[in-house]
Amino acid sequence: MIARMIGGVLLIVGSAIGGGILALPIATSELGFVSSSLLLFFCWIIMTISAFLILEITLWMPKNTNIISMAKATLGPLGQISGWIIYLLLLYSLLAAYIAGGSDFFQNLFTLAHIHAPEWVVASLFTLVLGYIVYLGIHAVDYANRGLMTVKFITFFLLIGLICSHISLDKLATGHFTFITNGVTVALTSFGYATIIPSLRNYFHDDVKKLRTVILIGSLIPLVCYILWDMAVMGVIPGDGSDGLISMLHSGRSTSDFVNKLSLLLNQETITSLAHIFTSICLLTSFIGVALCLVDFLADGFQVEKSGKMNFIVCCAALIPPLLIVMFDPGIFIAALAYAGIYCILLLVVLPTLMVWRGRYHKNIATGYRVFGGKPMLAALLILSVLMIIQSLMGSLIK
């Protein structure tokens, strides 16, 4: 059972930590380390409570029920349609972000190798190569992901250990608390693991105690990793200046600028190599995981078999729209993650809160496990969600 618990924790950690970790220190650069850590803690609380709400709803339903089916059962056809639209927008936004970040990084590698290629060619190549792995199916993705995840965690902790000796406390002390709302949607997206909870419910045979423990520990590990990563990056790369993190925030080449600046400042070949490996793997694992999820979702939604010609068509439907978005705006990495954060709030906070409210107080289908707080807690979640969405949209309009 301990092995199963560890497996469940790792599933949540793997779902949470992805390409978004690269954007965190850039998206929250105006806050500085202390305020960004407070923001991450706040987002962790919001997303953990929401994850417990999804667990509560999941336990009301028959096994193998997904979020869209839950929305239909509690909110009716309108809830189902809304869930469909938000889910698609979220996954397309994430794929656009990872294609933008990955192609930008690959473009940088090509430049270092004195190979010159148009941005649309690099983006297409990135999508084609990784899309082929997704086309091959779950087994190919599983084997690729196992190896990449192992290397990802090894390089992450090696990077943190090597960078720590270069951290400047003065750099960590910079930032302004008044920017606390900046980067909130990117931070929330970094804890967007809750779609895996219905699968975990089956994995642990409705054992609520174990499920709550796995969710709590599995969400705490990414929080610690994100804070350590912010400390390492913000303690080395200054926030201000033409080459600082704030400048990268408004740059169209965030990922490559980030790695290049880290390499320049530390001037150590080992750290430079690890930074390149870690950056690329974060984007690769995130892309194939989200792409597979979207392909499965579309195949299930349109009731088609993922084989032969139909598999190719579904993969094209999943990958061509975000690729076209990136071709239109190659520097969309941070912005796409910010929009994904809005959809993440709608899908993983607003929708579960409404489903719980409807299920508990109107349909009276709530049985067994119940998240604490009652109506005041649900109302507070809804109000916070609306405020975060409005703030993010206003920030996008101002930019």
Side-chain angles (χ1 to χ4, degrees), residues 258-275:
F258 165 70
V259 175
N260 290 338
K261 185 61 178 177
L262 196 64
S263 303
L264 181 65
L265 285 172
L266 300 179
N267 196 27
Q268 286 191 18
E269 188 175 340
T270 303
I271 294 178
T272 300
S273 300
L274 286 173

Side-chain angles (χ1 to χ4, degrees), residues 86-372:
I86 297 166
Y87 201 93
L88 286 174
L89 288 172
L90 172 62
L91 295 188
Y92 276 131
S93 297
L94 288 173
L95 282 178
Y98 299 144
I99 292 172
S103 57
D104 169 38
F105 183 73
F106 276 30
Q107 180 74 271
N108 184 54
L109 293 181
F110 286 170
T111 302
L112 291 175
H114 305 291
I115 300 173
H116 301 286
E119 290 179 334
W120 69 270
V121 172
V122 179
S124 300
L125 184 63
F126 177 86
T127 307
L128 183 64
V129 172
L130 296 183
Y132 181 67
I133 296 174
V134 175
Y135 171 79
L136 293 176
I138 181 64
H139 294 295
V141 171
D142 181 32
Y143 288 127
N145 192 59
R146 286 185 197 181
L148 290 170
M149 285 294 292
T150 302
V151 178
K152 180 200 287 187
F153 281 109
I154 292 172
T155 54
F156 174 77
F157 288 109
L158 283 174
L159 264 177
I160 296 295
L162 291 170
I163 292 174
C164 273
S165 60
H166 299 273
I167 290 175
S168 165
L169 294 179
D170 291 336
K171 290 186 177 71
L172 292 179
T174 60
H176 305 282
F177 187 78
T178 52
F179 291 105
I180 192 66
T181 54
N182 288 19
V184 65
T185 46
V186 175
L188 283 167
T189 306
S190 301
F191 295 101
Y193 59 85
T195 52
I196 201 173
I197 288 175
S199 301
L200 288 176
R201 177 259 183 106
N202 298 336
Y203 192 54
F204 286 98
H205 306 293
D206 293 0
D207 190 323
V208 176
K209 184 177 180 181
K210 288 185 174 62
L211 282 163
R212 291 178 71 241
T213 302
V214 164
I215 291 170
L216 186 62
I217 296 173
S219 62
L220 272 171
I221 292 174
L223 174 64
V224 173
C225 289
Y226 295 150
I227 292 174
L228 286 174
W229 181 243
D230 271 4
M231 179 185 70
V233 174
M234 292 182 177
V236 173
I237 302 177
D240 299 318
S242 58
D243 295 323
L245 290 169
I246 296 174
S247 175
M248 294 178 199
L249 177 62
H250 305 290
S251 165
R253 298 176 58 83
S254 300
T255 53
S256 58
D257 286 350
F258 165 70
V259 175
N260 290 338
K261 185 61 178 177
L262 196 64
S263 303
L264 181 65
L265 285 172
L266 300 179
N267 196 27
Q268 286 191 18
E269 188 175 340
T270 303
I271 294 178
T272 300
S273 300
L274 286 173
H276 280 289
I277 293 170
F278 179 67
T279 305
S280 59
I281 288 179
C282 280
L283 294 165
L284 296 179
T285 55
S286 296
F287 179 91
I288 61 175
V290 173
L292 180 67
C293 185
L294 180 55
V295 167
D296 287 344
F297 181 80
L298 291 174
D300 179 59
F302 292 113
Q303 297 295 299
V304 297
E305 288 289 332
K306 285 202 313 172
S307 60
K309 181 181 178 180
M310 290 310 302
N311 187 26
F312 178 76
I313 292 172
V314 171
C315 286
C316 287
L319 300 178
I320 290 177
L323 176 60
L324 292 175
I325 291 171
V326 174
M327 287 181 177
F328 178 75
D329 186 0
I332 202 172
F333 180 57
I334 301 290
L337 283 176
Y339 281 113
I342 295 174
Y343 307 135
C344 189
I345 295 170
L346 289 170
L347 184 71
L348 301 182
V349 183
V350 174
L351 201 62
T353 303
L354 293 174
M355 288 193 289
V356 168
W357 192 295
R358 184 78 174 165
R360 283 183 190 174
Y361 307 118
H362 293 273
K363 287 185 170 289
N364 297 315
I365 59 174
T367 57
Y369 171 64
R370 178 173 292 204
V371 179
F372 68 93

Side-chain angles (χ1 to χ4, degrees), residues 42-58 67 70 188 191-195 197-198 215 219 344-356 360 369 371-372 377-378 380-382 384-385 388:
F42 168 76
C43 291
W44 172 77
I45 291 174
I46 295 293
M47 297 305 284
T48 303
I49 293 173
S50 301
F52 285 141
L53 289 177
I54 291 175
L55 174 62
E56 179 182 335
I57 305 161
T58 302
I67 288 179
M70 295 176 202
L188 283 167
F191 295 101
Y193 59 85
T195 52
I197 288 175
I215 291 170
S219 62
C344 189
I345 295 170
L346 289 170
L347 184 71
L348 301 182
V349 183
V350 174
L351 201 62
T353 303
L354 293 174
M355 288 193 289
V356 168
R360 283 183 190 174
Y369 171 64
V371 179
F372 68 93
M377 192 273 290
L378 296 176
L381 271 181
L382 283 174
L384 280 171
S385 300
M388 288 187 289

